[in-house]
PDB file of all heavy atoms in Angstrom:
ATOM      1  N   THR A  25     -15.350 -51.167 -42.082  1.00  0.00           N
ATOM      2  CA  THR A  25     -15.020 -51.311 -43.490  1.00  0.00           C
ATOM      3  C   THR A  25     -16.025 -50.479 -44.364  1.00  0.00           C
ATOM      4  O   THR A  25     -15.375 -49.893 -45.376  1.00  0.00           O
ATOM      5  CB  THR A  25     -15.205 -52.817 -43.900  1.00  0.00           C
ATOM      6  OG1 THR A  25     -14.381 -53.695 -43.064  1.00  0.00           O
ATOM      7  CG2 THR A  25     -14.746 -52.973 -45.428  1.00  0.00           C
ATOM      8  N   THR A  28     -14.641 -47.089 -44.155  1.00  0.00           N
ATOM      9  CA  THR A  28     -13.387 -46.881 -44.962  1.00  0.00           C
ATOM     10  C   THR A  28     -13.689 -46.694 -46.435  1.00  0.00           C
ATOM     11  O   THR A  28     -13.060 -45.864 -47.079  1.00  0.00           O
ATOM     12  CB  THR A  28     -12.587 -48.067 -44.708  1.00  0.00           C
ATOM     13  OG1 THR A  28     -12.281 -48.304 -43.369  1.00  0.00           O
ATOM     14  CG2 THR A  28     -11.182 -48.054 -45.616  1.00  0.00           C
ATOM     15  N   LEU A  29     -14.754 -47.417 -46.909  1.00  0.00           N
ATOM     16  CA  LEU A  29     -15.133 -47.226 -48.278  1.00  0.00           C
ATOM     17  C   LEU A  29     -15.702 -45.826 -48.556  1.00  0.00           C
ATOM     18  O   LEU A  29     -15.390 -45.240 -49.631  1.00  0.00           O
ATOM     19  CB  LEU A  29     -16.242 -48.235 -48.649  1.00  0.00           C
ATOM     20  CG  LEU A  29     -15.717 -49.748 -48.695  1.00  0.00           C
ATOM     21  CD1 LEU A  29     -16.850 -50.778 -48.753  1.00  0.00           C
ATOM     22  CD2 LEU A  29     -14.849 -49.931 -50.013  1.00  0.00           C
ATOM     23  N   PHE A  30     -16.408 -45.396 -47.597  1.00  0.00           N
ATOM     24  CA  PHE A  30     -16.933 -43.985 -47.821  1.00  0.00           C
ATOM     25  C   PHE A  30     -15.722 -42.898 -47.800  1.00  0.00           C
ATOM     26  O   PHE A  30     -15.697 -41.965 -48.635  1.00  0.00           O
ATOM     27  CB  PHE A  30     -17.781 -43.573 -46.701  1.00  0.00           C
ATOM     28  CG  PHE A  30     -19.181 -44.076 -46.754  1.00  0.00           C
ATOM     29  CD1 PHE A  30     -19.818 -44.786 -45.825  1.00  0.00           C
ATOM     30  CD2 PHE A  30     -19.947 -43.816 -47.949  1.00  0.00           C
ATOM     31  CE1 PHE A  30     -21.143 -45.294 -45.879  1.00  0.00           C
ATOM     32  CE2 PHE A  30     -21.173 -44.311 -48.144  1.00  0.00           C
ATOM     33  CZ  PHE A  30     -21.849 -45.100 -47.115  1.00  0.00           C
ATOM     34  N   LEU A  31     -14.647 -43.220 -47.000  1.00  0.00           N
ATOM     35  CA  LEU A  31     -13.501 -42.392 -47.014  1.00  0.00           C
ATOM     36  C   LEU A  31     -12.750 -42.421 -48.286  1.00  0.00           C
ATOM     37  O   LEU A  31     -12.301 -41.442 -48.818  1.00  0.00           O
ATOM     38  CB  LEU A  31     -12.547 -42.771 -45.862  1.00  0.00           C
ATOM     39  CG  LEU A  31     -11.246 -42.038 -45.797  1.00  0.00           C
ATOM     40  CD1 LEU A  31     -11.445 -40.623 -45.477  1.00  0.00           C
ATOM     41  CD2 LEU A  31     -10.363 -42.703 -44.574  1.00  0.00           C
ATOM     42  N   ILE A  32     -12.603 -43.633 -48.894  1.00  0.00           N
ATOM     43  CA  ILE A  32     -11.972 -43.823 -50.160  1.00  0.00           C
ATOM     44  C   ILE A  32     -12.746 -43.026 -51.269  1.00  0.00           C
ATOM     45  O   ILE A  32     -12.136 -42.459 -52.041  1.00  0.00           O
ATOM     46  CB  ILE A  32     -11.842 -45.300 -50.501  1.00  0.00           C
ATOM     47  CG1 ILE A  32     -10.862 -46.079 -49.486  1.00  0.00           C
ATOM     48  CG2 ILE A  32     -11.349 -45.519 -51.935  1.00  0.00           C
ATOM     49  CD1 ILE A  32     -10.793 -47.503 -49.736  1.00  0.00           C
ATOM     50  N   ASP A  33     -14.080 -43.163 -51.136  1.00  0.00           N
ATOM     51  CA  ASP A  33     -14.914 -42.514 -52.088  1.00  0.00           C
ATOM     52  C   ASP A  33     -14.756 -40.960 -52.053  1.00  0.00           C
ATOM     53  O   ASP A  33     -14.857 -40.326 -53.024  1.00  0.00           O
ATOM     54  CB  ASP A  33     -16.362 -42.880 -51.909  1.00  0.00           C
ATOM     55  CG  ASP A  33     -17.313 -42.328 -53.009  1.00  0.00           C
ATOM     56  OD1 ASP A  33     -17.046 -42.445 -54.146  1.00  0.00           O
ATOM     57  OD2 ASP A  33     -18.342 -41.692 -52.645  1.00  0.00           O
ATOM     58  N   SER A  34     -14.554 -40.375 -50.853  1.00  0.00           N
ATOM     59  CA  SER A  34     -14.366 -38.985 -50.733  1.00  0.00           C
ATOM     60  C   SER A  34     -13.048 -38.532 -51.358  1.00  0.00           C
ATOM     61  O   SER A  34     -13.085 -37.398 -51.814  1.00  0.00           O
ATOM     62  CB  SER A  34     -14.458 -38.599 -49.215  1.00  0.00           C
ATOM     63  OG  SER A  34     -13.334 -39.123 -48.549  1.00  0.00           O
ATOM     64  N   ILE A  35     -12.056 -39.395 -51.360  1.00  0.00           N
ATOM     65  CA  ILE A  35     -10.776 -39.125 -51.950  1.00  0.00           C
ATOM     66  C   ILE A  35     -10.846 -39.380 -53.515  1.00  0.00           C
ATOM     67  O   ILE A  35     -10.226 -38.617 -54.189  1.00  0.00           O
ATOM     68  CB  ILE A  35      -9.687 -39.890 -51.267  1.00  0.00           C
ATOM     69  CG1 ILE A  35      -9.577 -39.598 -49.816  1.00  0.00           C
ATOM     70  CG2 ILE A  35      -8.289 -39.636 -51.937  1.00  0.00           C
ATOM     71  CD1 ILE A  35      -8.734 -40.541 -49.017  1.00  0.00           C
ATOM     72  N   ASP A  36     -11.534 -40.323 -53.853  1.00  0.00           N
ATOM     73  CA  ASP A  36     -11.515 -40.724 -55.240  1.00  0.00           C
ATOM     74  C   ASP A  36     -12.999 -40.980 -55.689  1.00  0.00           C
ATOM     75  O   ASP A  36     -13.491 -42.128 -55.760  1.00  0.00           O
ATOM     76  CB  ASP A  36     -10.770 -42.031 -55.495  1.00  0.00           C
ATOM     77  CG  ASP A  36     -10.838 -42.521 -56.957  1.00  0.00           C
ATOM     78  OD1 ASP A  36     -11.064 -41.694 -57.869  1.00  0.00           O
ATOM     79  OD2 ASP A  36     -10.591 -43.779 -57.213  1.00  0.00           O
ATOM     80  N   ASP A  39     -14.469 -43.366 -58.871  1.00  0.00           N
ATOM     81  CA  ASP A  39     -14.385 -44.733 -58.820  1.00  0.00           C
ATOM     82  C   ASP A  39     -13.208 -45.248 -59.879  1.00  0.00           C
ATOM     83  O   ASP A  39     -13.438 -46.151 -60.699  1.00  0.00           O
ATOM     84  CB  ASP A  39     -15.682 -45.469 -59.226  1.00  0.00           C
ATOM     85  CG  ASP A  39     -16.798 -45.280 -58.304  1.00  0.00           C
ATOM     86  OD1 ASP A  39     -16.394 -45.117 -57.131  1.00  0.00           O
ATOM     87  OD2 ASP A  39     -17.941 -45.453 -58.596  1.00  0.00           O
ATOM     88  N   GLU A  40     -12.194 -44.611 -59.760  1.00  0.00           N
ATOM     89  CA  GLU A  40     -10.977 -44.941 -60.747  1.00  0.00           C
ATOM     90  C   GLU A  40     -10.243 -46.128 -60.230  1.00  0.00           C
ATOM     91  O   GLU A  40      -9.280 -46.616 -60.875  1.00  0.00           O
ATOM     92  CB  GLU A  40     -10.092 -43.772 -60.789  1.00  0.00           C
ATOM     93  CG  GLU A  40     -10.737 -42.523 -61.532  1.00  0.00           C
ATOM     94  CD  GLU A  40      -9.767 -41.361 -61.744  1.00  0.00           C
ATOM     95  OE1 GLU A  40      -8.694 -41.432 -61.265  1.00  0.00           O
ATOM     96  OE2 GLU A  40     -10.242 -40.336 -62.287  1.00  0.00           O
ATOM     97  N   SER A  41     -10.506 -46.583 -59.040  1.00  0.00           N
ATOM     98  CA  SER A  41      -9.799 -47.799 -58.460  1.00  0.00           C
ATOM     99  C   SER A  41     -10.786 -48.809 -58.021  1.00  0.00           C
ATOM    100  O   SER A  41     -10.914 -49.135 -56.791  1.00  0.00           O
ATOM    101  CB  SER A  41      -8.866 -47.403 -57.294  1.00  0.00           C
ATOM    102  OG  SER A  41      -7.957 -46.300 -57.649  1.00  0.00           O
ATOM    103  N   PRO A  42     -11.581 -49.392 -58.958  1.00  0.00           N
ATOM    104  CA  PRO A  42     -12.535 -50.405 -58.554  1.00  0.00           C
ATOM    105  C   PRO A  42     -11.996 -51.650 -57.886  1.00  0.00           C
ATOM    106  O   PRO A  42     -12.599 -52.273 -57.030  1.00  0.00           O
ATOM    107  CB  PRO A  42     -13.234 -50.796 -59.902  1.00  0.00           C
ATOM    108  CG  PRO A  42     -12.297 -50.464 -60.991  1.00  0.00           C
ATOM    109  CD  PRO A  42     -11.492 -49.250 -60.430  1.00  0.00           C
ATOM    110  N   SER A  43     -10.690 -51.972 -58.239  1.00  0.00           N
ATOM    111  CA  SER A  43     -10.131 -53.138 -57.564  1.00  0.00           C
ATOM    112  C   SER A  43      -9.834 -52.839 -56.132  1.00  0.00           C
ATOM    113  O   SER A  43      -9.974 -53.714 -55.247  1.00  0.00           O
ATOM    114  CB  SER A  43      -8.863 -53.556 -58.324  1.00  0.00           C
ATOM    115  OG  SER A  43      -7.968 -52.431 -58.414  1.00  0.00           O
ATOM    116  N   LEU A  44      -9.497 -51.606 -55.799  1.00  0.00           N
ATOM    117  CA  LEU A  44      -9.255 -51.254 -54.384  1.00  0.00           C
ATOM    118  C   LEU A  44     -10.585 -51.277 -53.543  1.00  0.00           C
ATOM    119  O   LEU A  44     -10.687 -51.742 -52.437  1.00  0.00           O
ATOM    120  CB  LEU A  44      -8.674 -49.851 -54.380  1.00  0.00           C
ATOM    121  CG  LEU A  44      -8.548 -49.148 -52.878  1.00  0.00           C
ATOM    122  CD1 LEU A  44      -7.538 -50.028 -52.098  1.00  0.00           C
ATOM    123  CD2 LEU A  44      -8.091 -47.706 -53.041  1.00  0.00           C
ATOM    124  N   LEU A  45     -11.626 -50.859 -54.208  1.00  0.00           N
ATOM    125  CA  LEU A  45     -12.952 -50.897 -53.450  1.00  0.00           C
ATOM    126  C   LEU A  45     -13.367 -52.254 -53.249  1.00  0.00           C
ATOM    127  O   LEU A  45     -13.781 -52.647 -52.096  1.00  0.00           O
ATOM    128  CB  LEU A  45     -14.012 -50.148 -54.348  1.00  0.00           C
ATOM    129  CG  LEU A  45     -13.738 -48.625 -54.556  1.00  0.00           C
ATOM    130  CD1 LEU A  45     -14.836 -48.041 -55.518  1.00  0.00           C
ATOM    131  CD2 LEU A  45     -13.917 -47.870 -53.248  1.00  0.00           C
ATOM    132  N   ALA A  46     -13.285 -53.188 -54.329  1.00  0.00           N
ATOM    133  CA  ALA A  46     -13.676 -54.510 -54.122  1.00  0.00           C
ATOM    134  C   ALA A  46     -12.799 -55.218 -53.109  1.00  0.00           C
ATOM    135  O   ALA A  46     -13.186 -56.056 -52.242  1.00  0.00           O
ATOM    136  CB  ALA A  46     -13.678 -55.253 -55.425  1.00  0.00           C
ATOM    137  N   GLY A  47     -11.448 -54.892 -53.139  1.00  0.00           N
ATOM    138  CA  GLY A  47     -10.513 -55.524 -52.247  1.00  0.00           C
ATOM    139  C   GLY A  47     -10.787 -55.227 -50.880  1.00  0.00           C
ATOM    140  O   GLY A  47     -10.729 -56.013 -49.895  1.00  0.00           O
ATOM    141  N   VAL A  48     -11.039 -53.863 -50.518  1.00  0.00           N
ATOM    142  CA  VAL A  48     -11.316 -53.492 -49.184  1.00  0.00           C
ATOM    143  C   VAL A  48     -12.608 -54.072 -48.663  1.00  0.00           C
ATOM    144  O   VAL A  48     -12.685 -54.598 -47.547  1.00  0.00           O
ATOM    145  CB  VAL A  48     -11.376 -51.915 -49.148  1.00  0.00           C
ATOM    146  CG1 VAL A  48     -12.026 -51.451 -47.610  1.00  0.00           C
ATOM    147  CG2 VAL A  48     -10.073 -51.300 -49.361  1.00  0.00           C
ATOM    148  N   ALA A  49     -13.643 -54.138 -49.442  1.00  0.00           N
ATOM    149  CA  ALA A  49     -14.924 -54.694 -49.007  1.00  0.00           C
ATOM    150  C   ALA A  49     -14.699 -56.224 -48.811  1.00  0.00           C
ATOM    151  O   ALA A  49     -15.305 -56.695 -47.798  1.00  0.00           O
ATOM    152  CB  ALA A  49     -15.901 -54.408 -50.127  1.00  0.00           C
ATOM    153  N   THR A  50     -14.040 -56.908 -49.697  1.00  0.00           N
ATOM    154  CA  THR A  50     -13.840 -58.317 -49.454  1.00  0.00           C
ATOM    155  C   THR A  50     -12.915 -58.607 -48.251  1.00  0.00           C
ATOM    156  O   THR A  50     -13.249 -59.499 -47.485  1.00  0.00           O
ATOM    157  CB  THR A  50     -13.127 -58.911 -50.747  1.00  0.00           C
ATOM    158  OG1 THR A  50     -13.972 -58.683 -51.906  1.00  0.00           O
ATOM    159  CG2 THR A  50     -12.943 -60.477 -50.592  1.00  0.00           C
ATOM    160  N   LEU A  51     -11.865 -57.782 -48.075  1.00  0.00           N
ATOM    161  CA  LEU A  51     -11.056 -57.924 -46.912  1.00  0.00           C
ATOM    162  C   LEU A  51     -11.782 -57.835 -45.571  1.00  0.00           C
ATOM    163  O   LEU A  51     -11.590 -58.602 -44.696  1.00  0.00           O
ATOM    164  CB  LEU A  51      -9.845 -56.974 -46.966  1.00  0.00           C
ATOM    165  CG  LEU A  51      -8.849 -57.074 -45.844  1.00  0.00           C
ATOM    166  CD1 LEU A  51      -8.166 -58.429 -45.819  1.00  0.00           C
ATOM    167  CD2 LEU A  51      -7.815 -56.013 -45.964  1.00  0.00           C
ATOM    168  N   GLY A  52     -12.557 -56.789 -45.524  1.00  0.00           N
ATOM    169  CA  GLY A  52     -13.365 -56.494 -44.364  1.00  0.00           C
ATOM    170  C   GLY A  52     -14.326 -57.688 -44.004  1.00  0.00           C
ATOM    171  O   GLY A  52     -14.428 -58.134 -42.905  1.00  0.00           O
ATOM    172  N   THR A 105     -19.242 -59.718 -52.489  1.00  0.00           N
ATOM    173  CA  THR A 105     -18.295 -58.559 -52.834  1.00  0.00           C
ATOM    174  C   THR A 105     -17.211 -59.018 -53.939  1.00  0.00           C
ATOM    175  O   THR A 105     -16.829 -58.373 -54.794  1.00  0.00           O
ATOM    176  CB  THR A 105     -17.527 -58.134 -51.587  1.00  0.00           C
ATOM    177  OG1 THR A 105     -16.942 -59.294 -50.892  1.00  0.00           O
ATOM    178  CG2 THR A 105     -18.420 -57.389 -50.715  1.00  0.00           C
ATOM    179  N   TYR A 109     -17.171 -57.434 -58.211  1.00  0.00           N
ATOM    180  CA  TYR A 109     -15.931 -56.810 -58.883  1.00  0.00           C
ATOM    181  C   TYR A 109     -16.144 -56.879 -60.410  1.00  0.00           C
ATOM    182  O   TYR A 109     -15.927 -55.764 -61.106  1.00  0.00           O
ATOM    183  CB  TYR A 109     -14.657 -57.457 -58.453  1.00  0.00           C
ATOM    184  CG  TYR A 109     -13.429 -56.869 -59.276  1.00  0.00           C
ATOM    185  CD1 TYR A 109     -13.006 -55.583 -59.083  1.00  0.00           C
ATOM    186  CD2 TYR A 109     -12.793 -57.683 -60.125  1.00  0.00           C
ATOM    187  CE1 TYR A 109     -11.942 -55.154 -59.811  1.00  0.00           C
ATOM    188  CE2 TYR A 109     -11.718 -57.288 -60.915  1.00  0.00           C
ATOM    189  CZ  TYR A 109     -11.284 -56.039 -60.739  1.00  0.00           C
ATOM    190  OH  TYR A 109     -10.251 -55.606 -61.446  1.00  0.00           O
ATOM    191  N   GLN A 118     -19.628 -47.330 -57.343  1.00  0.00           N
ATOM    192  CA  GLN A 118     -19.268 -48.534 -56.897  1.00  0.00           C
ATOM    193  C   GLN A 118     -19.022 -48.526 -55.366  1.00  0.00           C
ATOM    194  O   GLN A 118     -19.253 -49.427 -54.531  1.00  0.00           O
ATOM    195  CB  GLN A 118     -18.041 -49.137 -57.633  1.00  0.00           C
ATOM    196  CG  GLN A 118     -18.328 -49.447 -59.082  1.00  0.00           C
ATOM    197  CD  GLN A 118     -17.284 -50.210 -59.749  1.00  0.00           C
ATOM    198  OE1 GLN A 118     -16.424 -50.808 -59.123  1.00  0.00           O
ATOM    199  NE2 GLN A 118     -17.147 -50.096 -61.055  1.00  0.00           N
ATOM    200  N   ALA A 119     -18.347 -47.346 -54.947  1.00  0.00           N
ATOM    201  CA  ALA A 119     -18.092 -47.286 -53.447  1.00  0.00           C
ATOM    202  C   ALA A 119     -19.331 -47.316 -52.563  1.00  0.00           C
ATOM    203  O   ALA A 119     -19.349 -47.960 -51.614  1.00  0.00           O
ATOM    204  CB  ALA A 119     -17.349 -45.970 -53.277  1.00  0.00           C
ATOM    205  N   TYR A 122     -20.673 -50.972 -52.511  1.00  0.00           N
ATOM    206  CA  TYR A 122     -19.989 -51.892 -51.502  1.00  0.00           C
ATOM    207  C   TYR A 122     -20.277 -51.357 -50.059  1.00  0.00           C
ATOM    208  O   TYR A 122     -20.458 -52.258 -49.162  1.00  0.00           O
ATOM    209  CB  TYR A 122     -18.486 -51.836 -51.765  1.00  0.00           C
ATOM    210  CG  TYR A 122     -18.070 -52.604 -53.036  1.00  0.00           C
ATOM    211  CD1 TYR A 122     -17.436 -51.965 -54.056  1.00  0.00           C
ATOM    212  CD2 TYR A 122     -18.204 -54.001 -53.114  1.00  0.00           C
ATOM    213  CE1 TYR A 122     -17.117 -52.644 -55.280  1.00  0.00           C
ATOM    214  CE2 TYR A 122     -17.833 -54.651 -54.206  1.00  0.00           C
ATOM    215  CZ  TYR A 122     -17.333 -54.007 -55.306  1.00  0.00           C
ATOM    216  OH  TYR A 122     -16.880 -54.653 -56.467  1.00  0.00           O
ATOM    217  N   LEU A 126     -21.973 -53.699 -47.030  1.00  0.00           N
ATOM    218  CA  LEU A 126     -21.372 -53.798 -45.678  1.00  0.00           C
ATOM    219  C   LEU A 126     -22.236 -53.358 -44.551  1.00  0.00           C
ATOM    220  O   LEU A 126     -22.293 -53.880 -43.521  1.00  0.00           O
ATOM    221  CB  LEU A 126     -20.028 -53.103 -45.712  1.00  0.00           C
ATOM    222  CG  LEU A 126     -18.718 -53.877 -46.090  1.00  0.00           C
ATOM    223  CD1 LEU A 126     -18.466 -55.096 -45.094  1.00  0.00           C
ATOM    224  CD2 LEU A 126     -18.813 -54.490 -47.549  1.00  0.00           C
TER     225      LEU A 126
END
Side-chain angles (χ1 to χ4, degrees):
T25 304
T28 303
L29 289 166
F30 282 128
L31 178 62
I32 295 173
D33 185 52
S34 67
I35 299 172
D36 178 23
D39 294 338
E40 295 181 357
S41 303
S43 57
L44 174 63
L45 297 173
V48 170
T50 302
L51 178 63
T105 53
Y109 171 68
Q118 293 190 25
Y122 288 115
L126 269 296

